């Protein structure tokens, strides 16, 4: 029996119903399948794409509801890029896919079958990258049957080698132009905004990679809260984090106060005091002298900084 009753609910189905969520998942995969082949697509035409039509077979939701469901995926390519932008290493396969706008995960999960320009361009890029590695023009780390490259190094080399000509390779060209040594320390407000942004992506909460991105944003936010106010302990930080979320976000399945508190507990378990006292960073109790200073160069901060850098290497921390 459908959770959506056309007789009593003409405007919107129950978004928590199994039927709605299953349809979401099928649509999400259909859109990522488009990215698998590198296809550019007009967002307003997504419902007319063959892959999406196939995913919606047997679905009885009216068109206005389906259009609403599609909205969060109109910038799906940005979500995919964020997923890989946060990785410290790419495989050569991933790098070749990203350089032409393909979704690396779906390409590997369900290899492309169409003979099109994107696949041919990707293959040419893959071959040139392997040659550059063998000729020592590009530094890579071999692991098993794969080579891993550092994203900035790959983008800088690929841009110079003329491999980033695709209109869909914009983010890689931007990365190639960045000075990787000029990382700017984010503010507390920016860390908060980043976490809230990930939390709002309700349609992505079932995706492991996006859930991990949200957790990373939470860790960054929690550390900056602790630096800003060393008096806060883990419970205080969890409460503040949860209070920054809107009422709608607080109702998201899988994103409760206990979820945040458990994630912060996991962070504390990773950040064990370098003094060997088993002291947790977020629950650390400072002396009166230390409480008087929030200066990042203070000895209290210095003892934790190398631990955080080791466990959370993607963070840009104060000097």
């Amino acid at each position: 029996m459908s959770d959506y009753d056309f007789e009593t609910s003409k405007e919107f189905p129950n978004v928590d119903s199994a039927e709605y969520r299953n349809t979401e998942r099928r649509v999400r995969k259909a859109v990522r399948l488009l990215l698998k082949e590198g296809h550019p697509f007009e967002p307003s035409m997504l419902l007319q794409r063959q892959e999406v039509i196939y995913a919606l077979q047997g679905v009885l939701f009216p068109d206005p509801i389906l259009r609403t469901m599609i909205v969060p995926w109109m910038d799906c390519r940005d979500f995919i890029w964020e997923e890989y932008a946060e990785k410290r290493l790419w495989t050569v396969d991933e790098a070749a896919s990203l350089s032409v706008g393909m979704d690396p995960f779906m390409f590997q999960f369900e290899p492309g079958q169409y003979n099109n320009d994107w696949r041919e361009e990707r293959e040419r890029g893959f071959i040139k990258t392997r040659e550059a590695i063998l000729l020592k023009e590009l530094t890579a780390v071999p692991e098993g049957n794969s080579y891993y490259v550092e994203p900035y190094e790959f983008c800088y080399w690929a841009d110079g080698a003329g491999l980033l000509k695709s209109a869909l390779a914009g983010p890689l060209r931007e990365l190639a132009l960045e000075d990787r040594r000029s990382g700017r320390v984010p503010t507390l407000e920016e860390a908060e905004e980043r976490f809230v942004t990930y939390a709002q992506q309700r349609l992505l909460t079932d995706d492991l990679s996006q859930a991990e991105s949200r957790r990373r944003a939470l860790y960054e936010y929690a550390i900056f809260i602790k630096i800003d106010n060393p008096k806060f302990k883990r419970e205080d930080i969890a409460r503040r984090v949860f209070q920054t979320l809107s009422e709608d976000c607080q109702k998201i399945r899988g994103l409760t106060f206990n979820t945040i508190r458990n994630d912060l507990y996991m962070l504390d378990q990773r950040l064990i005091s370098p003094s060997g006292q088993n002291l947790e960073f977020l629950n650390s109790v400072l002396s009166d002298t230390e409480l008087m200073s929030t200066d990042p160069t203070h000895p209290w901060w210095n003892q934790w900084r190398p631990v955080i850098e080791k466990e959370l290497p993607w963070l840009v921390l104060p000097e």
Side-chain angles (χ1 to χ4, degrees), residues 72 79 82 86 191-206 209-218 221 241-256 259-260 263:
F79 296 157
E82 288 177 3
E86 292 192 345
E192 175 182 326
E193 180 181 1
R194 178 176 167 81
F195 169 69
V196 172
T197 297
Y198 277 112
Q200 288 172 338
Q201 295 175 5
R202 183 185 63 77
L203 294 179
L204 302 178
T205 54
D206 290 338
S209 59
Q210 291 295 336
E212 179 61 25
S213 295
R214 187 180 65 199
R215 191 172 295 112
R216 288 183 177 190
L218 166 64
Y221 185 26
V241 169
F242 191 66
Q243 289 171 349
T244 65
L245 299 175
S246 66
E247 185 176 340
D248 288 341
C249 281
Q250 291 178 0
K251 295 178 181 178
I252 293 174
R253 178 180 300 176
L255 186 58
T256 65
T259 302
I260 292 173
D263 282 343

Side-chain angles (χ1 to χ4, degrees), residues 9-156:
S9 181
K10 294 284 187 182
E11 297 183 356
F12 206 85
N14 179 1
V15 297
D16 291 322
S17 69
E19 182 181 7
Y20 190 95
R21 293 179 68 82
N22 286 337
T23 302
E24 276 184 343
R25 278 190 281 270
R26 294 204 300 271
V27 168
R28 178 173 61 208
K29 181 179 179 181
V31 175
R32 289 195 73 162
L33 281 171
L34 292 173
L35 302 186
K36 173 195 71 175
E37 294 294 342
H39 291 301
F41 54 80
E42 171 55 45
S44 64
M45 305 294 288
L46 275 180
L47 285 174
Q48 299 178 30
R49 292 301 302 243
Q50 176 182 336
E51 293 85 349
V52 177
I53 292 174
Y54 181 80
L56 292 174
Q57 283 186 334
V59 174
L60 300 178
F61 297 156
D63 281 349
I65 303 308
L66 296 178
R67 284 195 290 272
T68 300
M69 187 181 293
I70 285 291
V71 166
W73 290 99
M74 288 187 174
D75 55 356
C76 178
R77 200 179 299 275
D78 290 338
F79 296 157
I80 303 303
W81 166 246
E82 288 177 3
E83 177 180 329
Y84 286 90
E86 292 192 345
K87 289 190 175 185
R88 299 186 67 196
L89 293 172
W90 295 339
T91 66
V92 172
D93 292 281
E94 290 172 340
S97 293
L98 289 169
S99 68
V100 294
M102 288 184 177
D103 176 2
F105 174 76
M106 288 304 296
F107 186 86
Q108 293 297 323
F109 180 70
E110 195 165 334
Q113 66 269 26
Y114 305 120
N115 291 320
N116 58 37
D117 292 342
W118 290 285
R119 282 185 54 75
E120 293 175 5
E121 188 177 349
R122 178 195 181 280
E123 188 64 20
R124 287 195 295 269
F126 178 83
I127 293 172
K128 288 191 70 172
T129 303
R130 287 295 299 268
E131 289 176 348
I133 292 172
L134 295 175
L135 293 171
K136 310 295 184 183
E137 297 172 358
L138 176 64
T139 301
V141 178
E143 179 68 28
N145 295 323
S146 298
Y147 280 98
Y148 287 82
V149 292
E150 196 273 328
Y152 172 84
E153 294 287 352
F154 170 79
C155 293
Y156 183 82

Side-chain angles (χ1 to χ4, degrees), residues 287-303:
S287 67
D288 291 340
T289 302
E290 290 170 330
L291 282 173
M292 293 173 63
S293 173
T294 57
D295 182 352
T297 62
H298 195 280
W300 168 78
W301 170 239
N302 286 339
Q303 74 168 332

Side-chain angles (χ1 to χ4, degrees), residues 243-311:
Q243 289 171 349
T244 65
L245 299 175
S246 66
E247 185 176 340
D248 288 341
C249 281
Q250 291 178 0
K251 295 178 181 178
I252 293 174
R253 178 180 300 176
L255 186 58
T256 65
F257 174 74
N258 283 337
T259 302
I260 292 173
R261 184 167 56 183
N262 290 340
D263 282 343
L264 295 183
Y265 174 77
M266 294 294 293
L267 173 60
D268 255 350
Q269 295 306 295
R270 293 174 62 179
L271 304 179
I272 298 297
S273 170
S275 65
Q277 300 173 355
N278 267 359
L279 186 62
E280 299 163 325
F281 174 66
L282 300 182
N283 266 353
S284 57
V285 180
L286 311 184
S287 67
D288 291 340
T289 302
E290 290 170 330
L291 282 173
M292 293 173 63
S293 173
T294 57
D295 182 352
T297 62
H298 195 280
W300 168 78
W301 170 239
N302 286 339
Q303 74 168 332
W304 288 104
R305 180 184 173 88
V307 183
I308 294 173
E309 285 183 331
K310 179 180 178 181
E311 294 296 329

